[in-house]
Amino acid sequence: MSSVAKKTGKNSIEDKMYRQSRIFYQILKYVFLTMCCLMVIIPLIVVLIGAFKTHDEYISTGVFTLPEVPQFENFKIAFVNGKVMQGLLNTLIILAVSCFGTIFTGTMTAFVLQRFNMLFTRAVKTVFLIAALLPNISMQVTVFQIVSKLGLYNTLAAPCVLYIGTDIISIYIFIQFLNNISKSLDESAILDGASYPRVYFSIILPMLRPAIATVLVIKFVSIYNDFYTANLYMPSQDLAVVSTALYRFIGPYGAKWEIIFAGIIICIIPSLVIFLCLQKSIYSNLVTGSVKE
Amino acid sequence: MTANSAAPAKKRSLMQWLKGYTGQKYTTTLLFLLIPVVLLILFTVIPAINMGIYSFQKRDQLGVSWEWVGFDNYVRIFTDGAYLQTFANSIYYLIGSFVQQAFALLIASVLCSKIKFGNAFKGILFFPYMMNGVAVSLIFRRFFQKGDGITNTEGTLNSILMLLGGEPVRWLSDPNLVNICLVFASIWRYIGFDIIMYISAIQSISPDIYEAADLDGANAWQRFWYIVFPSIRPIVGLQLILAIKGAVSVFEIPYIITEGKNGTSTFVIKTIETAFKYQKVGLASAMAVVLLAIILIVTAIQKAFFKEEK
């Protein structure tokens, strides 16, 4: 308190300088943040403007020139002819199946690996730990042959099975979370005569809800944005996901950027909506997810 | 321990044993782990073992004809210029990610100070991380595009340059610039994640320490250097290690923006091309093994580093 009192009590010139430098820093901060945000926004603005232009306008006007009359035709072409609609539908199916699968297999695996300390569970845990280090895209060199041998090539099952089967990070997150759930809860249930599966379904699974939220957020971001798995295993036009539908625009619409722009916007909208609705929980879930990795 | 006491000591039939808690432990383990372990064996263990074996073979994608070639594949990776160049390219991404970390830390500390519209700034800076990688890549294809006067006008960056009175530049066809452009796109996409990581680390510092520093009359820089930085050092260390892993695993942005052409290929792009375009599964497996070895070394360094921190 004494130093504060001294500061305000001292001569006013020093006080004024102090205040001025504070204001200067404050302005500098806003300028810096605004510059950074402009760097994010400018590439996006160009896409937004371009998507509403006709092809003639695209060739003849600058990137920042607004369209004379906003066109919605590009969105229709991207959505229907460009298979973005199909892509959204397929992505939704894959997301639903993989999230459901990961949550069940992930929590069950974590439950067994964390609660039962047996030679077998320890061995499995070690294999999972090592598997987490394998570089995902490079692994496809040999995973590809297994997927083809199983007859999963060019089916929606291929990405689903891979997203469920090779998702070790989720198991990690569940195990970390279980470390903080006291075993005495299980034990008291067991004293009441509950079986292990029952302990899992009525105690562990409900308690894991926050961890499940974390996994769902990470899963959504990674699956919705994943390009390579679908590109490699589902070359069929009808099996396009959002990423591959958009990627295939490069061929037929290579010179028609206004249609590509429309496709980009359609494919960003779901992410934007989810982000705006769940902003706070996305930040915290991503941080927990990566710290626990 | 309760599990054991629940089981009676007398002789039991198999059925009773299964119903007891020891038996239950085994059946539950079997039941719960069946699917995950089958998937793990099919899609991780077998491919990993195959990768090791194939890396000493010359074989095609179908595996119809193959022969042992010893270390030939590995020798080729470290002597062929086309492969060595991809290592050189990852240096661009490595330097880029150091720049990215520095900016993320700066932005995070500014966002953690008293500031209006902090959430809006944070949201805008973070959102690219949520965006589809193909969308980001296409946006930057247009961003760096050089107009040809017929089918394409100048791209975004050249338009800005010309507004400021500059001359348009061939960003993506100049071999000296193209990798820097790709690194910029990569920073644009991923920096939001680092910002929120740093923000959460900075916010976990107790406000009491700040108050004490304020009373002692510490300025912003002193506050950062003596309070913020020491407390988030473990996170900075972790991020730098992740940056190395990221730099050797770059794939999507160069694969879509420049298709790995014009000297922008990365190690992972080369691996995938070798396996699926040129059908050299043996060589590609060796490349995957090399990448794994790099990652293992970095992970070992990380483990050692964190032990020291504690």
Side-chain angles (χ1 to χ4, degrees), chain A residues 16-29, chain B residues 114 214:
Chain A
K16 208 175 155 193
M17 268 176 67
Y18 174 73
R19 233 184 271 157
Q20 269 176 348
S21 80
R22 265 188 73 107
I23 292 170
F24 174 71
Y25 271 118
Q26 209 59 20
I27 291 171
L28 197 68
K29 272 185 200 170
Chain B
K114 268 181 206 147
D214 267 347

Side-chain angles (χ1 to χ4, degrees), chain B residues 148-211:
Chain B
D148 54 13
I150 310 159
T151 52
N152 282 308
T153 46
E154 293 295 341
T156 315
L157 189 54
N158 277 341
S159 302
I160 296 170
L161 268 184
M162 284 157 76
L163 279 180
L164 300 174
E167 287 289 306
V169 177
R170 296 182 167 275
W171 298 102
L172 296 179
S173 42
D174 185 335
N176 296 318
L177 290 174
V178 62
N179 278 307
I180 296 169
C181 294
L182 296 179
V183 170
F184 179 82
S186 169
I187 295 177
W188 189 89
R189 183 178 180 196
Y190 292 112
I191 197 169
F193 181 75
D194 299 320
I195 293 173
I196 60 158
M197 286 291 289
Y198 286 129
I199 287 178
S200 105
I202 293 172
Q203 279 172 347
S204 63
I205 301 169
S206 154
D208 297 350
I209 306 179
Y210 285 128
E211 242 169 69

Side-chain angles (χ1 to χ4, degrees), chain B residues 11 56 68 118 133 202 255:
Chain B
K11 249 189 178 181
F56 298 103
W68 294 102
I202 293 172
Y255 187 80

